[in-house]
Amino acid sequence: MTWLSDTRKVYDALAVGYADETRDLLDRLPHVRAGVVLFADLVRAIGGGPVADVGCGPGHTTALLRELGADAFGIDLSPAMIEIARREHPGARFEVGSMTDLDLADGSVAGVLAWWSLIYIPDDAVPGVLGQFYRVLRPGGVLAAGFHVGDESKIETSGEGDRPVQAYVHYRKPSHVADRLREAGFTMEAQHLLNPDGPKPGAILFARRPVS
């Protein structure tokens, strides 16, 4: 799957700059931060338990979840990102891994956070990824997914010098993502639109693995 290696290369190449750029991102985006807070509250309401931040990058969101009382750990495809996350947030657990094949036991987590990480997953791979989220969540567990809103896929080029890196970024309508979640077995609970009148709209969907 070349898209996996392309995504890894992008974030390995950009890890240091990306970590610096996003260090205070949640403070600058209060509506996005509110989504993280709500997610932590929903996990707390079901008695808590381990929370997987899938596509955690440099670990800033994982760290916020832990400040909010969640037993959060991070997983990311990029070894360079995980190295930074471990260095900057030494009290948390971070592992290299892919959301296409999570190294987690069935029903082992109370929550899964996919914070703008599904944007690199092509349409034909989304059902498998959502199936992984469903598998690792315990019954009643919570999923929160944030993503760019749109209806196109485009190549984004990053990096400087003579070795730029590229990866496809997929923009999706909330209704499309919600339909894929339902097909994976989830029950939809809420949809938050972000900056709907702006140039870069986003959305956060909250879903749950049914208890029965």
Side-chain angles (χ1 to χ4, degrees):
M1 291 183 285
T2 58
W3 61 269
L4 272 177
S5 60
D6 289 344
T7 303
R8 182 184 296 111
K9 289 176 184 176
V10 165
Y11 279 102
D12 278 347
L14 301 178
V16 173
Y18 183 85
D20 290 340
E21 179 184 342
T22 59
R23 196 175 313 282
D24 64 344
L25 185 63
L26 291 173
D27 293 327
R28 291 185 275 122
L29 299 174
H31 295 93
V32 178
R33 180 187 174 94
V36 179
V37 174
L38 175 56
F39 172 74
D41 287 344
L42 292 171
V43 171
R44 187 181 305 111
I46 60 171
V51 169
D53 180 5
V54 182
C56 66
H60 304 326
T61 305
T62 315
L64 174 59
L65 285 170
R66 293 176 65 82
E67 290 174 14
L68 295 168
D71 180 17
F73 62 95
I75 300 170
D76 200 272
L77 189 63
S78 164
M81 286 290 189
I82 291 298
E83 181 180 352
I84 292 172
R86 288 172 174 167
R87 183 172 65 247
E88 296 201 5
H89 309 289
R93 166 188 158 203
F94 294 99
E95 301 292 341
V96 176
S98 171
M99 65 178 68
T100 61
D101 186 19
L102 292 172
D103 187 19
L104 298 171
D106 295 359
S108 60
V109 298
V112 170
L113 186 76
W115 224 229
W116 276 263
S117 50
L118 286 173
I119 62 175
Y120 297 102
I121 309 299
D123 283 347
D124 60 357
V126 167
V129 168
L130 297 183
Q132 285 289 304
F133 293 170
Y134 186 92
R135 177 185 66 80
V136 303
L137 276 169
R138 73 189 192 210
V142 181
L143 168 67
F147 53 93
H148 297 315
V149 169
D151 56 5
E152 63 178 346
S153 298
K154 58 184 180 182
I155 292 178
E156 292 193 354
T157 301
S158 305
E160 299 178 355
D162 59 356
R163 293 184 131 182
V165 286
Q166 294 183 324
Y168 269 101
V169 176
H170 305 279
Y171 295 69
R172 297 184 171 101
K173 295 181 178 179
S175 60
H176 173 83
V177 178
D179 286 343
R180 300 293 83 77
L181 286 166
R182 292 186 181 100
E183 290 169 3
F186 288 95
T187 299
M188 289 299 305
E189 291 199 338
Q191 171 182 296
H192 292 182
L193 299 181
L194 305 167
N195 199 29
D197 296 329
K200 294 183 179 180
I204 303 170
L205 300 187
F206 295 87
R208 191 179 299 270
R209 176 174 173 170
V211 173
S212 60

